[in-house]
């Protein structure tokens, strides 16, 4: 996907047939119709439009996006829909406070809410409270910020919205990113921005989601917006955000991706201090510690805390800059990218050699700063709960996973590998799972069980997807083994845990996925 495509507007469609697999169309038509009817019942008018952004499953590249390394996700059919009413002049007076009326299609779980925003203000977000409306407010604030870049005196309009989402929360399929992307898209369109460029939407959504308390890296938002039906999406973040559609090759048996829900909920917005955010801090500190030991000077970058392992790689290969092009050194331009990462991986064991991790005091001393200064710089914006920081293990995972992403992408793009493509792709996914379990320590027993069952039933590759510590798994399965894997999960995992599990819950638990379409209006 060249830059010109990234800068294309979010598509506007009058039909949902292009958004979902053929088998899902009847159910989705009913869902969309119910959304419109519910909206009319609540607001006594039809919505002006519906903004849609999907969840995603990450095929490979786990926990490397916030270190600014490439990832390979794809959008899924599950999505967030936001129906929006644009008020007429009698309902909307310029200069007055904007009133947002926020309703959810599941009012028994997500109560209605209203928010008032001053003409030159933003919506208040309390990240300590896990409220569903925080995600809409985050998208709202990001959209308003973008609109004020073009008009510093911009005042947002009143909004009436109804939200319907079917991306499982805490399931590792990026329900929060889908919600924030759909929200920002809805607010931009409601306030007169047409067209909405994909890249602008992604960039503001990446920053916006951090307002709800998570050090988001950017993969989730990119997959939700940029994805093209039938393709995986290669997303890179350095030196700038870039996305490229990667066609899934036609093989015999055909490539099929299955998603299995563990039903272990690990909402990263709740468990962040000891899980997701802690890993972001550990990767950032690993980069800082390695830079200090190697006498390198890190530059600020787009990582959540301003420094990254990708930035470390750039600093290592930028010593001795070219006079003609100060941004790229001769070493960096002449050394193959894969070789650069392999070199960084080889340095980790020598530089970050404490296998039992580092205390705050040890890190502060190595970085020539006090413990309070360390905590203020790295652990205040997004607090963490840890006494020891496993810097070496986290860096090893990031660099090795970055190499697996390169290998996976090369296989997808190499027709000559067709004869053994499925087992080789699967082996890379299995290596990722092993690293997530042993090195990054973000798996759990239930995830492991689902992976073992799938491989035993004929799957080639199995791994967690998303933040981890529960949630969903993704599996590379030849089409002729899909039923075997599904039946094995049902008997050995789902019914073993819940003997009376309903057919409806099983349909929710197991999804045969095709690469889906990104955001639309």
């Amino acid at each position: 996907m060249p830059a010109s495509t990234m800068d294309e507007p979010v598509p506007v469609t009058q039909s949902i047939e292009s958004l979902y697999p053929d088998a899902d169309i009847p159910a989705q038509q009913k869902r969309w119709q119910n959304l419109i009817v519910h909206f009319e019942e609540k607001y006594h008018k039809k919505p002006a439009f519906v903004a849609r952004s999907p969840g995603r499953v990450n095929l490979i590249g786990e926990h490397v996006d916030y270190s600014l390394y490439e990832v390979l996700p794809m959008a899924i059919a599950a999505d967030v829909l936001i129906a929006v009413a644009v008020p007429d002049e009698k309902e909307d007076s310029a200069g007055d406070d904007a009133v947002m009326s926020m309703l959810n299609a599941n009012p028994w779980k997500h109560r209605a809410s209203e928010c008032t925003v001053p003409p030159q203000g933003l919506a208040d977000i309390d990240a300590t409270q896990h409220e569903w409306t925080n995600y809409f407010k985050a998208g709202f604030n990001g959209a308003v910020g973008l609109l004020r870049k073009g008009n510093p005196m911009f005042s947002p309009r009143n909004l009436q919205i109804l939200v319907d989402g079917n991306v499982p929360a805490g399931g590792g399929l990026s329900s929060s990113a889908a919600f924030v992307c759909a929200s920002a898209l809805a607010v931009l369109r409601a306030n007169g921005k047409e067209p909405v460029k994909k890249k602008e939407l992604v960039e503001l959504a990446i920053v916006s989601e951090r307002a709800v308390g998570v050090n988001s890296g950017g993969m989730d938002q990119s997959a939700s917006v940029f994805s093209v039906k039938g393709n995986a999406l290669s997303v890179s973040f350095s030196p700038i955000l870039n996305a490229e559609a990667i066609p899934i090759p036609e093989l015999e048996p055909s490539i099929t991706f299955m998603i299995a829900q563990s039903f272990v909920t690990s909402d990263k917005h709740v468990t962040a201090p000891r899980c997701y955010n802690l890993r972001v801090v550990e990767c950032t500190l690993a980069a800082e510690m390695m830079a200090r030991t190697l006498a390198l000077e890190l530059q600020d970058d787009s990582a959540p805390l301003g420094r990254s392992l990708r930035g470390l790689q750039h600093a290592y290969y930028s010593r001795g800059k070219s006079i003609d092009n100060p941004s790229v050194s001769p070493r960096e331009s002449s050394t193959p990218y894969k070789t650069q990462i392999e070199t960084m991986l080889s340095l980790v064991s020598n530089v970050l050699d404490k296998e039992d991790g580092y205390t705050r005091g040890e890190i502060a001393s190595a970085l020539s700063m006090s413990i309070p200064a360390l905590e203020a710089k790295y652990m205040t914006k997004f607090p963490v709960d840890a006494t020891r920081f496993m810097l070496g293990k986290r860096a090893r995972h990031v660099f090795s996973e970055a190499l697996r992403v390169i290998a996976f992408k090369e296989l997808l793009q190499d027709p000559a590998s067709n004869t053994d493509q499925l087992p080789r792709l699967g082996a890379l996914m299995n290596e990722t799972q092993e690293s997530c379990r042993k090195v990054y320590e973000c798996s759990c027993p239930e995830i492991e069980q689902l992976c073992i069952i799938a491989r035993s039933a004929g799957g080639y590759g199995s791994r967690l997807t998303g933040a981890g510590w529960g949630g969903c798994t993704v599996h590379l399965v030849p089409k002729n083994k899909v039923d075997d894997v599904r039946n094995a999960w049902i008997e050995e995992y789902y019914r073993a845990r819940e003997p009376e599990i309903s057919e409806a819950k099983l349909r929710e638990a197991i999804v045969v996925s095709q690469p889906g379409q990104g955001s639309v209006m």
Side-chain angles (χ1 to χ4, degrees):
M1 181 183 297
S4 58
T5 305
M6 291 173 59
D7 287 331
E8 284 183 353
V10 172
V12 178
T13 182
Q14 302 298 322
S15 170
I16 69 169
E17 277 73 12
S18 63
L19 305 181
Y20 304 104
D22 292 343
D24 294 351
I25 295 298
Q28 289 294 344
Q29 286 175 330
K30 184 177 180 180
R31 176 180 170 227
W32 281 67
Q33 289 166 359
N34 289 340
L35 178 71
I36 303 304
V37 170
H38 191 177
F39 191 97
E40 290 185 88
E41 289 175 349
K42 295 298 182 181
Y43 291 118
H44 310 294
K45 66 180 75 171
K46 289 183 179 293
F49 63 89
V50 176
R52 171 200 180 263
S53 286
R56 65 95 188 98
V57 62
N58 189 23
L59 302 179
I60 199 161
E62 211 58 75
H63 284 281
V64 299
D65 59 331
Y66 49 80
S67 289
L68 304 187
Y69 282 102
E70 187 176 5
V71 293
L72 200 70
M74 71 180 195
I76 58 176
D79 54 19
V80 173
L81 309 178
I82 303 181
V84 183
V86 181
D88 58 34
E89 292 181 1
K90 293 179 180 178
E91 301 172 286
D92 188 25
S93 299
D96 293 342
D97 289 352
V99 179
M100 293 188 293
S101 175
M102 297 171 284
L103 302 180
N104 197 288
N106 187 356
W108 304 275
K109 185 176 181 181
H110 304 297
R111 62 184 177 85
S113 182
E114 190 171 276
C115 174
T116 301
V117 181
Q120 296 303 307
L122 295 172
D124 289 330
I125 298 175
D126 183 356
T128 65
Q129 299 298 312
H130 190 53
E131 296 285 345
W132 73 273
T133 53
N134 280 353
Y135 302 101
F136 184 81
K137 292 176 183 178
F140 174 90
N141 288 348
V144 170
L146 177 63
L147 292 166
R148 285 183 180 149
K149 288 182 179 179
N151 175 13
M153 300 306 294
F154 169 79
S155 296
R157 304 182 72 179
N158 297 334
L159 290 177
Q160 295 168 318
I161 68 161
L162 175 62
V163 178
D164 179 17
N166 61 5
V167 187
L173 300 178
S174 298
S175 59
S176 58
F179 197 169
V180 172
C181 289
S183 300
L185 178 59
V187 174
L188 289 170
R189 176 67 180 270
N191 283 277
K193 184 170 177 58
E194 295 184 56
V196 176
K197 290 186 178 180
K198 294 179 181 179
K199 189 173 183 180
E200 286 183 329
L201 179 59
V202 168
E203 289 174 340
L204 75 85
I206 290 171
V207 176
S208 296
E209 193 177 342
R210 294 172 187 169
V212 293
V214 174
N215 273 319
S216 174
M219 169 182 65
D220 302 343
Q221 299 81 3
S222 296
S224 187
V225 176
F226 289 135
S227 287
V228 178
K229 191 175 181 181
N231 294 261
L233 189 75
S234 172
V235 184
S236 56
F237 306 94
S238 180
I240 60 173
L241 178 67
N242 188 56
E244 175 189 8
I246 307 293
I248 300 297
E250 295 183 4
L251 302 176
E252 186 57 44
S254 61
I255 292 179
T256 304
F257 294 103
M258 299 183 74
I259 302 169
Q261 168 70 267
S262 70
F263 290 122
V264 175
T265 300
S266 179
D267 195 310
K268 66 184 182 183
H269 301 81
V270 176
T271 62
R274 61 184 182 278
C275 297
Y276 186 88
N277 281 355
L278 175 58
R279 294 299 183 272
V280 176
V281 170
E282 287 176 318
C283 288
T284 306
L285 292 174
E288 295 279 26
M289 291 276 283
M290 289 185 71
R292 180 59 62 97
T293 302
L294 297 169
L296 302 173
E297 184 176 347
L298 293 184
Q299 301 297 316
D300 290 342
D301 56 31
S302 60
L305 292 175
R307 302 289 174 85
S308 68
L309 289 167
R310 179 67 181 86
L312 173 74
Q313 176 184 326
H314 177 69
Y316 185 82
Y317 281 93
S318 292
R319 291 177 293 184
K321 292 181 180 294
S322 166
I323 296 176
D324 296 330
N325 186 359
S327 65
V328 179
S329 73
R331 292 179 66 222
E332 186 168 24
S333 61
S334 63
T335 305
Y337 179 66
K338 182 179 177 180
T339 302
Q340 292 183 31
I341 301 175
E342 290 171 338
T343 300
M344 303 314 297
L345 178 60
S346 69
L347 289 171
V348 174
S349 296
N350 293 330
V351 177
L352 299 174
D353 58 355
K354 291 179 67 68
E355 286 299 316
D356 60 343
Y358 296 80
T359 65
R360 280 174 165 82
E362 289 170 333
I363 297 171
S365 177
L367 298 180
S368 303
M369 59 198 313
S370 66
I371 293 177
L374 177 79
E375 293 172 337
K377 185 173 182 178
Y378 300 104
M379 306 174 199
T380 299
K381 185 177 181 181
F382 301 104
V384 299
D385 180 11
T387 56
R388 302 193 75 84
F389 297 79
M390 313 302 291
L391 307 187
K393 295 178 76 171
R394 309 312 180 224
R396 272 197 298 277
H397 168 81
V398 170
F399 292 130
S400 63
E401 183 73 348
L403 291 170
R404 284 188 285 271
V405 172
I406 294 172
F408 199 96
K409 182 177 173 181
E410 288 176 346
L411 280 172
L412 288 180
Q413 296 177 312
D414 180 14
S417 67
N418 283 1
T419 55
D420 61 349
Q421 196 168 34
L422 280 171
R424 291 171 67 187
L425 290 169
L428 290 168
M429 294 174 69
N430 293 334
E431 289 174 16
T432 292
Q433 178 58 26
E434 187 71 358
S435 184
C436 285
R437 181 175 70 87
K438 286 186 174 181
V439 184
Y440 218 69
E441 299 174 295
C442 60
S443 188
C444 67
E446 293 83 358
I447 293 290
E448 295 299 323
Q449 187 180 0
L450 284 167
C451 292
I452 291 169
I453 292 171
R455 294 176 194 137
S456 298
Y460 283 115
S462 297
R463 54 176 291 273
L464 66 84
T465 186
W469 298 283
C472 284
T473 54
V474 61
H475 308 263
L476 178 64
V477 180
K479 190 173 183 179
N480 59 357
K481 292 293 184 179
V482 167
D483 289 341
D484 291 345
V485 172
R486 179 191 284 113
N487 293 334
W489 279 332
I490 291 173
E491 296 305 320
E492 299 176 38
Y493 184 82
Y494 295 110
R495 286 189 175 143
R497 291 166 57 87
E498 188 179 341
E500 303 301 319
I501 190 171
S502 67
E503 288 299 317
K505 190 171 182 179
L506 285 173
R507 285 193 297 271
E508 176 190 346
I510 303 171
V511 176
V512 179
S513 184
Q514 301 171 7
Q517 176 63 41
S519 298
V520 300
M521 286 187 286

